Amino acid sequence: MSEFRLAAGSKVKFGCTTNQLYTILRQGISTDTQRLGLETQHISGGIFVGELMAYYAACAAFCHNTSELHQQHTEVMGAFVNALQEQKGSKPNLPGLDDIAHQAGLPVVLDIELSEDCLLLADPQFVATHETEKSWKYWRSASLQRPQGIPSSWIRQVFFPRLLDFRDVATARSPRSLEQTTDCALMVGGLMQAWHKDAPVDLLHAFHKQYGRINFSQSISFDETALERFFNLAAMIDPATRLLNQMTIWQDIDALAKKQGIPLSE
């Protein structure tokens, strides 16, 4: 089997949640990082990177975090959801939201530029182990093999969905809510690649044709200053607003995935 390497300067993406951003900033992306939802396919010493599959990874990590959080705090989150439904556009004032919101991670995708040639191994979700070149060139997904992991200095940007406030959900189909739904459609595109083996080029072409982009609608540079500004956005720093975004993103993903016959439970 001939080796397949991506040259220095190549771009790859990695999906995760906001909960991981500060750890990645300080320590980089570790080789023991699993791609949630496809745990049995973890390749030792590697990090799954891709294009649309990075949005799959962000979606799977987000759904895993959201499910765990709601199971651990059933009563409070049930009351929060009821309050959202009964008082549209009003911020619920409930005890216990601060600690829960601190644990709530929202989906993000990291844009990475390789600073050296890197060995790839095939993604077994799509091809046989010896078909690494096809894995990357056709499916745009592979395990990057680098014992030291991916340094934070290689990460250029963080892409994230449009974040809402309570005014955005007061009226049906607000422009910002529709933009967040579009961002969720990108993650469901990743689910479609993984579950239905749909070609990512076709999915991204259709998305770009309709929306004029192939990434989340929002982005920041990846450095300490930018992350500080991001986590001080009202949608991140206010507990109720962060949980609002968790719920609206979760509901959109769930509705869009159901249309494609894709289960979200692991």
Side-chain angles (χ1 to χ4, degrees), residues 25-253:
L25 178 69
R26 296 176 182 120
Q27 302 173 16
I29 304 172
S30 168
T31 56
D32 62 5
T33 303
Q34 289 190 326
R35 183 172 61 182
L36 291 172
L38 299 172
E39 291 93 342
T40 56
Q41 297 176 354
H42 179 66
I43 297 175
S44 177
I47 299 165
F48 277 107
V49 295
E51 180 68 51
L52 192 53
M53 279 299 286
Y55 285 88
Y56 168 89
C59 182
F62 167 76
C63 290
H64 178 81
N65 171 263
T66 302
S67 178
E68 280 199 336
L69 206 58
H70 282 241
Q71 287 174 17
Q72 292 167 6
H73 305 280
T74 305
E75 187 174 334
V76 176
M77 290 310 300
F80 182 77
V81 172
N82 288 337
L84 290 180
Q85 294 171 343
E86 292 170 3
Q87 304 170 24
K88 273 199 175 296
S90 298
K91 182 163 70 172
N93 184 18
L94 299 172
L97 292 184
D98 289 38
D99 289 342
I100 298 173
H102 182 70
Q103 303 170 61
L106 302 182
V108 291
V109 166
L110 308 183
D111 187 55
I112 300 165
E113 182 177 336
L114 305 184
S115 291
E116 62 186 50
D117 295 356
C118 290
L119 175 69
L120 298 186
L121 293 182
D123 184 343
Q125 178 72 5
F126 302 109
V127 297
T129 54
H130 65 280
E131 297 181 291
T132 303
E133 186 170 0
K134 180 180 179 182
S135 181
W136 183 253
K137 291 188 174 179
Y138 183 82
W139 293 105
R140 301 297 287 181
S141 185
S143 174
L144 188 146
Q145 299 287 303
R146 188 173 186 272
Q148 308 92 330
I150 297 176
S152 61
S153 59
W154 292 12
I155 304 170
R156 300 292 178 253
Q157 290 186 88
V158 181
F159 292 104
F160 60 97
R162 168 64 70 184
L163 301 178
L164 309 179
D165 59 34
F166 286 91
R167 292 170 297 180
D168 297 317
V169 297
T171 57
R173 301 179 68 80
S174 74
R176 288 163 59 90
S177 294
L178 289 172
E179 191 169 25
Q180 187 183 86
T181 299
T182 301
D183 289 325
C184 292
L186 194 54
M187 287 187 280
V188 174
L191 295 179
M192 291 166 66
Q193 177 179 339
W195 279 89
H196 299 323
K197 304 296 192 294
D198 290 341
V201 172
D202 295 340
L203 291 167
L204 287 170
H205 176 74
F207 191 88
H208 185 271
K209 186 176 181 180
Q210 186 166 0
Y211 302 111
R213 57 183 172 89
I214 57 170
N215 289 305
F216 281 148
S217 59
Q218 312 299 301
S219 66
I220 55 169
S221 58
F222 189 72
D223 55 52
E224 187 87 36
T225 303
L227 286 188
E228 287 291 336
R229 289 199 305 270
F230 172 73
F231 281 102
N232 278 291
L233 292 173
M236 294 301 296
I237 201 168
D238 178 68
T241 310
R242 187 190 288 210
L243 291 173
L244 168 72
N245 280 278
Q246 184 194 57
M247 289 306 306
T248 54
I249 292 171
W250 170 268
Q251 289 168 353
D252 278 344
I253 292 173

